[in-house]
Amino acid sequence: MSRNGLCQQEGVCSKSVINSCDDCIRSGPYCVWCKQLNFTKAGEQEAARCDTQAQLLKRGCKQDEIISPENDIKIVKKDPLSVSFNQQEPVQLSPQRISLSLRPGLSATFTVSFKRVQGYPVDLYYLMDLSYSMKDDLAYVKELGQDLFAALNNITKYAQIGFGAFVDKPVLPYTNTNEKKLQKPCDEDDQLCQAAFGYRHVLSMTQSANEFKEKVTEQFISGNLDSPEGSLDAMMQAAVCGDKIGWRNSSTRLIVLTTDAGFHMAGDGKLAGILEPNDEQCHMKNNLYTKSTEMDYPSVGQLALQLKKNNIQPIFAVTDNVKSVYMQLSEMIPKSAVGVLSSDSKNVVELIESAYNSLSSKVTVTHDNLPDNVRVVYTPICNHAGPTGQSEGVCENVRAEQISFNVTVTADSCMKDKSFTISPLGIKDTLTVTLSTNCECECEDPKDRSHPHCKGKGRVSCGICRCSDGFVGQFCECSVGDKDERSLRASCQRHNGTECEGRGDCVCGRCQCHTTESGKSYHGDFCECDDEHCEKFQNKLCGGNGRCNCGRCECNSDYEGSACQCRVSEEGCRTLNNTVCFGRGKCKCNRCECNEGYQRPRCKDCLGCPDPCQTKLNCIECLGFDSGPFKKNCSVACRKSIYHEMVDQFTISSKQCQQKDTEGCWIKFKLEQLVKEDNYMAEILKQRDCPEPPSVTAIIGGSIASVALIGILLLMLIKLLIYMKDLKEFRKFENEKKKSKWAEADNPLFQNATTTVTNPTFTGE
């Protein structure tokens, strides 16, 4: 039994590639190393030194020669838990610092104790919604100081109260940005109204009820446009501006948020053109949040992170109409509570008392960011313990008693000086866990660098030889001489891979193969073969009907198959004509393995093969009618694959083929596939169907007649078009003639014709 309560004898060592003690320790939590000299036999791989402790002892390794790092838990700081608060820093969580040295994969468990200090200080910050709908509530809150302090004094005499107020971002669409409305966002009848604002810090933490009343009395109602408020903005500033709020280092920090409306969250700022995300920093000047109009609302995740980081527990005192909204918000913010506020806030003191008792009675222990490959499990030890969990441990209904948590830490990989913190939510106290792992062996090797075990040519490291320069081998027995050691080792690598396939040692340029776990040897030039990893049948290697040789089964004479699972038989492959798979496949394991395209069970039909009616047409033409492309070498090309017969009528029952040959004639034939693939019996009809040749005279005469007829038709068409055009023009002329009117008057330009006759022989006498 180990010191951590884990039984190593029952563990399993899952080895991978083991070349040293360090590799062994890293390979699993139950792997141990035997450093005993001469533990391995000649040629046996050094990985045999790595196994479970029980197996190594069984094989003869001495107990004191076994290397097995153990977990170590060291408590660095453990101050006792405080009983009551006495103005000094109380201790509520113990221990405060722990150092773990773990073996990878092996868990270690330690106990953390917690006890709440009686009279522990309380800082309560009252954060109030001052939108117009909370007008009646403000009047009551102004008189709240004495009652609130009285309630807190029942818890502790070291109580402080602060006050802050919020409405919403003073930009559209959340607030009316008219200048007058910004100064007075309330109704005109309300004289006491303060200017629009996002968040205002009014009063830092104080122990004076009178000061609380005085500062709150100075506050007046304000207003905005939409229903959701900027409560997340206000809570973020109250959480991160600790110096302005006045949070004490040693106190229970509470924020009491009172409102009757929902809240804006990250992304809503886009409606006002505000795109810059919230930076989770303090931006307070003159007690006002200065980045309200420049920075978006925080997300719920951002707010939850800052509340947890600053150990602040929020109490949501809200009206019934928004209870469900804040219940969902509370589920996302650890260590928070929700109470229903009356319409005038008169029950706020009782609500705060109830919420505080609820928060303080539940103790949740968790951690911050864990290092990679580290797991933590919490097991609560208390009267009302929650379930064991990997993220947190919870105890309910805790009063003044001391409670504990068993914390189990597991590191799954090697690491050095990593740390994380464990703390109760809402409490300042923390436990810092420093974590390192034991990934290296401390073998206390002899200092002799020329050890006799290594033929005087090397030193011993955890039981195996580390050879000096120029020597190699299990016992440094091989001198590389003038050869380059790298090239010598390269000759032991197949395809530039692992040396001897990781199954042997390269000795003087040749592989000396190791033995397998069953005692057999690897073999081959590069130790690439073993006789234990062949296919199995019925959980037997090679079905028990053959032997395994280099990963393949060599079957006995009467068995076959990849695992020798079948008796040699052709009974299931025989066809009706007493052939095996019709010669178109091989009979394996009494079943036909058909050639490509042929179908089981007997490889008779080929559904995906080309149609033989087309592929064999040229052969049919040359065999039957001495024509076609194969005419000159028909006997060579076709007679070995087709046996033909010329018939007047078909006698075989296969499908009839009808194809046109090179002379344009239709050939009718039938093909019957014989044994093997390209082997057919053909019946060819003697008579081909050849069409009569065309009449040249008729073709020429018909062509001439067609041309003449077409010419006549074209002339007639042209004549018809001309006639139609003339007819149209004539009708147009007739219409214009009818429309014209002729006046009956003399034409002034017209002169009657005159005739003058002169006698050329007349002299005038």
Side-chain angles (χ1 to χ4, degrees):
M1 189 75 69
S2 72
R3 66 183 293 177
N4 294 285
L6 297 171
C7 186
Q8 291 191 349
Q9 284 77 3
E10 296 179 359
V12 176
C13 177
S14 301
K15 296 181 289 185
S16 53
V17 179
I18 306 297
N19 294 315
S20 66
C21 179
D22 293 348
D23 292 341
C24 177
I25 298 305
R26 293 187 181 103
S27 63
Y30 303 107
C31 293
V32 298
W33 180 265
C34 180
K35 68 174 184 176
Q36 182 175 308
L37 299 181
N38 297 317
F39 179 74
T40 55
K41 301 174 183 178
E44 186 179 10
Q45 56 185 337
E46 295 295 349
R49 294 178 177 274
C50 184
D51 213 325
T52 62
Q53 182 170 309
Q55 289 296 323
L56 292 181
L57 291 172
K58 184 178 179 180
R59 290 168 50 199
C61 186
K62 298 177 182 179
Q63 179 70 52
D64 58 354
E65 297 286 350
I66 292 178
I67 305 298
S68 178
E70 296 181 346
N71 291 343
D72 180 58
I73 301 174
K74 182 179 180 181
I75 298 178
V76 180
K77 184 179 180 181
K78 188 177 182 180
D79 294 338
L81 296 173
S82 301
V83 178
S84 61
F85 185 74
N86 57 0
Q87 298 284 2
Q88 295 180 354
E89 191 73 25
V91 177
Q92 301 182 95
L93 186 72
S94 183
Q96 292 78 42
R97 294 188 67 87
I98 281 183
S99 177
L100 300 179
S101 180
L102 304 182
R103 181 169 176 179
L106 196 60
S107 301
T109 300
F110 56 88
T111 301
V112 178
S113 300
F114 173 83
K115 184 178 181 181
R116 190 180 300 278
V117 172
Q118 295 299 309
Y120 193 63
V122 174
D123 288 344
L124 187 149
Y125 191 69
Y126 199 97
L127 191 56
M128 185 173 183
D129 176 7
L130 288 188
S131 60
Y132 191 76
S133 57
M134 295 288 286
K135 181 179 179 180
D136 296 338
D137 302 74
L138 179 60
Y140 177 74
V141 172
K142 291 179 179 180
E143 306 297 330
L144 188 64
Q146 294 294 341
D147 294 338
L148 201 52
F149 269 105
L152 292 177
N153 286 332
N154 293 330
I155 302 170
T156 176
K157 60 182 179 179
Y158 305 104
Q160 292 188 150
I161 298 180
F163 187 84
F166 67 92
V167 183
D168 207 346
K169 295 183 182 294
V171 291
L172 281 173
Y174 318 116
T175 304
N176 191 333
T177 55
N178 180 280
E179 186 175 350
K180 292 183 179 180
K181 279 293 185 180
L182 280 175
Q183 295 302 317
K184 188 179 179 181
C186 311
D187 291 342
E188 294 182 359
D189 297 336
D190 291 297
Q191 299 299 320
L192 300 177
C193 179
Q194 62 177 317
F197 64 96
Y199 161 66
R200 173 180 285 114
H201 170 57
V202 177
L203 175 65
S204 297
M205 292 295 174
T206 180
Q207 296 181 353
S208 171
N210 291 331
E211 187 179 3
F212 179 84
K213 180 179 180 180
E214 179 183 342
K215 289 292 185 181
V216 175
T217 303
E218 295 174 358
Q219 301 305 305
F220 302 107
I221 215 70
S222 186
N224 62 328
L225 292 177
D226 63 343
S227 177
E229 316 294 5
S231 49
L232 298 195
D233 259 348
M235 291 182 69
M236 175 63 77
Q237 292 303 301
V240 299
C241 298
D243 56 335
K244 300 185 184 309
I245 304 299
W247 300 114
R248 288 176 289 185
N249 288 332
S250 299
S251 66
T252 298
R253 301 176 177 181
L254 303 175
I255 289 181
V256 178
L257 180 81
T258 58
T259 182
D260 62 351
F263 52 88
H264 286 294
M265 67 180 81
D268 289 354
K270 293 180 180 179
L271 296 173
I274 301 174
L275 303 179
E276 183 179 352
N278 195 285
D279 63 359
E280 304 176 41
Q281 300 297 317
C282 180
H283 298 287
M284 296 283 289
K285 186 176 182 181
N286 296 327
N287 290 333
L288 276 175
Y289 176 36
T290 58
K291 295 286 186 178
S292 182
T293 59
E294 302 174 21
M295 204 168 283
D296 197 5
Y297 302 97
S299 67
V300 174
Q302 287 177 306
L303 179 61
L305 179 64
Q306 290 302 325
L307 290 174
K308 179 181 177 182
K309 182 178 178 180
N310 292 282
N311 298 314
I312 297 174
Q313 305 173 59
I315 298 174
F316 300 110
V318 298
T319 52
D320 191 60
N321 62 307
V322 291
K323 176 185 175 183
S324 60
V325 175
Y326 283 90
M327 288 293 291
Q328 296 178 40
L329 177 62
S330 180
E331 291 176 1
M332 293 182 280
I333 298 180
K335 210 65 175 164
S336 61
V338 179
V340 177
L341 195 67
S342 62
S343 59
D344 55 3
S345 298
K346 288 186 177 181
N347 68 331
V348 68
V349 175
E350 294 83 357
L351 188 154
I352 293 172
E353 283 185 305
S354 175
Y356 175 80
N357 291 332
S358 174
L359 291 173
S360 61
S361 65
K362 179 179 179 181
V363 178
T364 302
V365 173
T366 186
H367 52 259
D368 60 0
N369 295 330
L370 292 174
D372 292 338
N373 301 315
V374 172
R375 292 176 284 126
V376 178
V377 176
Y378 298 92
T379 304
I381 305 173
C382 52
N383 294 330
H384 301 278
T388 298
Q390 293 190 2
S391 61
E392 62 183 21
V394 178
C395 281
E396 303 274 3
N397 298 327
V398 178
R399 298 304 174 192
E401 72 272 18
Q402 179 176 321
I403 60 174
S404 300
F405 298 85
N406 281 341
V407 182
T408 302
V409 180
T410 308
D412 293 322
S413 64
C414 297
M415 61 190 68
K416 188 73 172 177
D417 295 333
K418 301 293 184 180
S419 64
F420 61 95
T421 59
I422 295 174
S423 64
L425 290 180
I427 303 295
K428 180 186 176 183
D429 298 61
T430 61
L431 163 62
T432 301
V433 180
T434 304
L435 176 61
S436 296
T437 52
N438 294 323
C439 290
E440 297 179 356
C441 296
E442 297 179 1
C443 296
E444 299 179 358
D445 298 316
K447 297 181 180 180
D448 188 1
R449 302 191 65 83
S450 300
H451 200 277
H453 179 71
C454 303
K455 309 299 183 185
K457 307 298 183 184
R459 61 183 179 86
V460 173
S461 175
C462 293
I464 62 177
C465 287
R466 299 298 182 192
C467 302
S468 302
D469 292 342
F471 295 90
V472 294
Q474 186 177 4
F475 303 104
C476 306
E477 70 275 16
C478 179
S479 174
V480 297
D482 297 334
K483 296 181 181 179
D484 178 44
E485 184 176 353
R486 181 177 296 180
S487 62
L488 196 65
R489 291 187 178 276
S491 62
C492 295
Q493 299 174 358
R494 183 173 64 158
H495 309 309
N496 294 324
T498 307
E499 187 177 292
C500 298
E501 299 294 321
R503 298 171 170 180
D505 298 318
C506 186
V507 180
C508 299
R510 298 191 65 182
C511 287
Q512 287 187 357
C513 300
H514 298 153
T515 56
T516 64
E517 293 182 358
S518 64
K520 296 182 180 180
S521 295
Y522 295 107
H523 56 93
D525 292 339
F526 303 97
C527 305
E528 72 275 13
C529 295
D530 71 83
D531 301 335
E532 298 177 345
H533 291 86
C534 288
E535 190 175 342
K536 291 184 178 181
F537 177 68
Q538 294 181 345
N539 206 30
K540 294 181 180 180
L541 202 65
C542 297
N545 303 312
R547 70 184 187 91
C548 181
N549 183 20
C550 200
R552 295 177 62 87
C553 287
E554 294 181 352
C555 302
N556 299 336
S557 58
D558 53 343
Y559 283 89
E560 63 180 348
S562 60
C564 304
Q565 72 273 28
C566 309
R567 283 189 173 274
V568 176
S569 174
E570 295 181 346
E571 192 64 30
C573 303
R574 289 285 174 184
T575 63
L576 295 177
N577 58 1
N578 202 32
T579 63
V580 176
C581 305
F582 284 104
R584 298 189 275 275
K586 296 180 180 179
C587 188
K588 291 185 178 180
C589 286
N590 210 24
R591 294 180 63 189
C592 287
E593 289 189 0
C594 303
N595 297 341
E596 185 178 0
Y598 288 92
Q599 305 296 307
R600 285 180 175 178
R602 300 289 187 274
C603 311
K604 182 177 182 181
D605 300 318
C606 182
L607 300 180
C609 295
D611 187 3
C613 291
Q614 297 180 0
T615 58
K616 300 300 180 183
L617 173 61
N618 292 335
C619 283
I620 294 296
E621 184 178 357
C622 79
L623 290 172
F625 304 101
D626 195 26
S627 63
F630 293 164
K631 177 179 179 180
K632 294 183 179 180
N633 60 341
C634 188
S635 59
V636 177
C638 302
R639 291 192 185 279
K640 292 183 179 180
S641 61
I642 297 180
Y643 302 93
H644 76 287
E645 183 179 353
M646 305 299 295
V647 297
D648 294 318
Q649 190 173 359
F650 294 120
T651 59
I652 59 180
S653 59
S654 60
K655 182 184 77 171
Q656 178 177 318
C657 303
Q658 181 173 327
Q659 300 289 330
K660 184 178 287 188
D661 62 12
T662 56
E663 297 179 356
C665 297
W666 291 96
I667 302 176
K668 295 180 181 179
F669 60 95
K670 286 189 176 184
L671 292 172
E672 182 178 359
Q673 191 171 14
L674 305 177
V675 179
K676 297 184 180 179
E677 289 190 49
D678 194 18
N679 190 18
Y680 293 88
M681 174 64 191
E683 285 187 351
I684 309 172
L685 287 185
K686 296 178 180 179
Q687 188 64 38
R688 290 187 294 181
D689 294 335
C690 298
E692 296 182 1
S695 173
V696 177
T697 305
I699 292 173
I700 295 174
S703 300
I704 295 173
S706 299
V707 171
L709 180 60
I710 292 171
I712 293 172
L713 291 174
L714 287 174
L715 290 174
M716 292 178 64
L717 179 61
I718 293 170
K719 183 67 176 176
L720 177 62
L721 292 174
I722 294 172
Y723 172 77
M724 294 297 293
K725 183 178 180 182
D726 291 346
L727 181 61
K728 182 178 179 182
E729 291 292 333
F730 177 74
R731 287 178 177 172
K732 181 179 179 182
F733 171 76
E734 288 291 330
N735 291 333
E736 291 178 353
K737 182 179 178 182
K738 291 178 180 179
K739 294 177 182 178
S740 62
K741 295 181 179 180
W742 303 95
E744 295 180 0
D746 293 332
N747 187 348
L749 300 177
F750 178 74
Q751 294 182 0
N752 291 328
T754 58
T755 304
T756 303
V757 180
T758 303
N759 187 356
T761 62
F762 180 67
T763 60
E765 295 180 359

